[in-house]
Amino acid sequence: MNLAVATPQHGASEDTLTTGLMGAVQPEFLQLLNWDPHVRVLLLPRSHPQFSGEDCLVAGCDKMSYYAHQKGMCTGCTERWKKSDLPFDEFVTIQRPGRMVGFFPCQVAHCERPGRRATLLCSSHDYQRRNVYGLPLEDFLAHPEVQPLPALGPCQVAACDRQGETRDGYCTPHADQCRDLRQEGAFEGPRVFRTGF
């Protein structure tokens, strides 16, 4: 489980409550949670008794059940079961539908950028394949002029653990959100978008 933690940025007014709380946190606890002060995301260890639950009973589900009313299923599977009209014993035996979540490396050998779900190429290589070479994926990957690209670094939005994919330094979901906010006239500037402050 990931938990985003917003903390004051350098130059922001001093937050005495946050400073006091962080002063009480033991370094060993931060190490247990894989705390990175730059990314500001806590990674709650699945094996820790206070931060974990039982594995979801549904076949193929990798989530956890935290509450007795969920009958051993994660929140998502509990909601799907309520809508299914299937008996509990039958529902848990049906394989959970697959979904693509997380990091997918670009399929160009040694490319350090994340791939897109539809093509599994990073946006730069996908553009090259479609608009420069016009080749099917297999031929593009074998083309001698196709070179791996370096990573762009982490997404510039606070507490986002995805890799940046755009020239602004945002991951695709945050780049899309930024575009939508601009189109709606609700964009408050890069600093507010990146930090929330």
Side-chain angles (χ1 to χ4, degrees):
M1 173 188 289
N2 291 354
L3 176 65
V5 179
T7 57
Q9 298 294 304
H10 297 292
S13 61
E14 186 67 21
D15 179 346
T16 55
L17 180 59
T18 302
T19 302
L21 288 172
M22 288 305 290
V25 176
Q26 298 295 317
E28 298 82 19
F29 184 69
L30 294 177
Q31 185 177 13
L32 171 72
L33 299 178
N34 297 304
W35 173 251
D36 182 337
H38 302 292
V39 179
R40 297 189 309 275
V41 172
L42 298 175
L43 300 173
L44 303 179
R46 190 176 186 120
S47 60
H48 196 280
Q50 278 84 27
F51 301 130
S52 65
E54 297 295 321
D55 288 339
C56 180
L57 296 174
V58 174
C61 184
D62 63 354
K63 304 294 181 200
M64 291 185 282
S65 173
Y66 295 101
Y67 308 105
H69 74 272
Q70 292 177 316
K71 300 183 179 187
M73 295 184 292
C74 69
T75 302
C77 288
T78 301
E79 292 302 314
R80 286 188 319 106
W81 174 60
K82 287 177 183 177
K83 295 175 185 174
S84 73
D85 294 326
L86 291 173
F88 176 81
D89 293 339
E90 183 180 342
F91 181 83
V92 296
T93 64
I94 299 170
Q95 186 78 15
R96 180 176 179 142
R99 58 186 182 177
M100 294 179 73
V101 176
F103 178 80
F104 303 96
C106 178
Q107 294 301 292
V108 172
H110 308 292
C111 182
E112 297 176 0
R113 296 184 183 179
R116 294 180 169 186
R117 290 185 177 129
T119 64
L120 295 182
L121 291 174
C122 66
S123 57
S124 297
H125 283 127
D126 188 42
Y127 177 86
Q128 283 181 338
R129 184 191 70 77
R130 289 183 293 109
N131 299 314
V132 177
Y133 297 106
L135 295 171
L137 180 60
E138 189 174 309
D139 295 340
F140 176 76
L141 293 174
H143 196 285
E145 293 179 13
V146 174
Q147 298 295 313
L149 298 170
L152 294 173
C155 178
Q156 296 299 305
V157 173
C160 181
D161 59 354
R162 297 182 195 101
Q163 289 294 309
E165 298 181 56
T166 66
R167 66 176 172 259
D168 293 330
Y170 302 134
C171 63
T172 298
H174 281 121
D176 292 346
Q177 183 182 22
C178 182
R179 180 201 61 226
D180 293 345
L181 287 170
R182 284 188 167 130
Q183 288 175 349
E184 296 165 6
F187 186 70
E188 298 182 58
R191 186 173 77 65
V192 172
F193 182 71
R194 290 176 178 170
T195 65
F197 297 98

